[in-house]
Every structure is written in C-alpha cells, then in structure tokens.
Amino acid sequence: GLWDLLGVTGRRVEVQALGNKRIAVDASIWVIQFIKAMRESDGSANPNAHLLGFFRRLCKLLFMRVRPVIVFDGPAPMLKRRTLQARRQQRARAEGQVKRMAEKILLNQLRAHALSAAANASPTGSQKEKTDSQPNERRFDFSPPVSADQANKAGTADDASRASVADNHPSDKAGDS
C-alpha cells in the first residue's frame, strides 16, 4: 500500500506533536474509514457515520490545537478509474455468483422436500419402517390434517395411515413443532 511507498521517507508522529500546526486531511479516506468502522448496535451500517466521524475527529484535533485542512481531491485519475471499474465488475460477478448459489440451494431443498413428500405418499413400504429408520427427519405433508377419528368416519385406509403416522412421529413426542 501507500506506506510501502512512503516507508523510506514517511514517519509516524503522535497527534500531540502536531499542536499549533496545520495538517492536510484526505476527506475520502476519512469517509471510507467511518462508513466501514461505525456500526449500529445490531451490526448494520450507521447512516450518518461519515458526519459523526468527521465531527468527533475534528473536535479531537481542534481540542489538541491541531488545525486541519480538509481536502476533497476531485475525480479519480484515469488509472484509479480503471481500478474502480474493475472492482465494480468483480463485485457484480461475485453478487451474481451468490445469487445463483442461493437459487441452487433453494432448488435442491425444494427437490429434497418434493422427494420426501413423494416417498411418504408412496404405497410401497410401511410408514412405520420409514419413521423408525429416520427418526430425526421431519416429513411434510401438504394435505389437510386428518385425525384418526375423521379417517375412520371417512373410511379410507390412506387417510387413517397418514393420521397414525402424523400422530406417532418421534419429533412430535419430543415437543418439537
């Protein structure tokens, strides 16, 4: 970075040593520092971070009798513009990758859910065996809930087996909903 280039000639000084002197301050560096560092208690960005940061830092410098000159350096030079454009493109690619990955994850979860629902609805294999072999897996059924009494009144074996499996699911016994 910059200190690598200036390391030969640059040196760090204490703020107290700058008393009664004028110093130039790059406003863009301060703005970026405040926006990145100052957060709300929930971790979200503070919308007035740049204003609060400028105010606090200027007050501290003035208290220490340092007279800051704030420099707003205008548009970026051509080389920096290219760097900024490359960063924007890289950020856009990364955001696109994140979006595609989120879509893939959601699609896989939907497929797994659909397969699980189809497996639960299949007439092959007993429901009790499936429940015992995978006790921690929660199955979802989008049909309306049917109690054992309602199934007996309706007289359908499929509704009765669905009701008995739903009533006897291991996670229901543990109080998990």
Side-chain angles (χ1 to χ4, degrees), residues 2 77 82 108 143:
L2 180 61
R82 282 190 238 142
N108 284 338
S143 60

Side-chain angles (χ1 to χ4, degrees), residues 64-97:
M64 302 187 93
R65 301 197 183 280
V66 176
R67 293 177 286 180
V69 177
I70 310 299
V71 179
F72 295 90
D73 59 356
M78 183 55 74
L79 181 61
K80 188 168 183 176
R81 276 188 237 149
R82 282 190 238 142
T83 302
L84 293 174
Q85 179 63 28
R87 286 179 187 167
R88 278 191 291 273
Q89 289 173 348
Q90 183 177 359
R91 189 177 307 119
R93 280 193 302 272
E95 287 173 355
Q97 288 175 345

Side-chain angles (χ1 to χ4, degrees), residues 10-68:
R11 60 187 165 89
R12 293 183 181 268
V13 296
E14 295 294 322
V15 177
Q16 293 84 358
L18 300 174
N20 296 322
K21 294 184 181 177
R22 284 190 184 104
I23 62 166
V25 174
D26 185 352
S28 61
I29 291 175
W30 275 15
V31 168
I32 297 300
Q33 284 177 343
F34 299 137
I35 289 174
K36 296 277 186 190
M38 296 179 75
R39 299 288 173 174
E40 295 288 340
S41 59
D42 64 355
S44 63
N46 185 333
N48 297 318
H50 59 296
L51 299 174
L52 290 169
F54 261 94
F55 178 73
R56 291 175 182 165
R57 197 169 283 176
L58 287 173
C59 285
K60 182 176 182 177
L61 290 174
L62 293 171
F63 176 78
M64 302 187 93
R65 301 197 183 280
V66 176
R67 293 177 286 180

Side-chain angles (χ1 to χ4, degrees), residues 80-154:
K80 188 168 183 176
R81 276 188 237 149
R82 282 190 238 142
T83 302
L84 293 174
Q85 179 63 28
R87 286 179 187 167
R88 278 191 291 273
Q89 289 173 348
Q90 183 177 359
R91 189 177 307 119
R93 280 193 302 272
E95 287 173 355
Q97 288 175 345
V98 167
K99 184 178 178 182
R100 285 189 298 277
M101 184 60 68
E103 289 171 351
K104 284 181 182 180
I105 290 170
L106 178 62
L107 184 61
N108 284 338
Q109 288 178 341
L110 290 172
R111 283 181 183 159
H113 177 72
L115 288 173
S116 176
N120 288 340
S122 72
T124 61
S126 79
Q127 293 291 338
K128 183 67 177 160
E129 289 175 14
K130 290 180 184 178
T131 303
D132 290 341
S133 65
Q134 298 173 353
N136 294 330
E137 181 181 328
R138 182 72 171 153
R139 291 174 183 78
F140 296 97
D141 187 0
F142 291 109
S143 60
V146 177
S147 70
D149 294 335
Q150 291 173 332
N152 289 336
K153 288 178 186 173

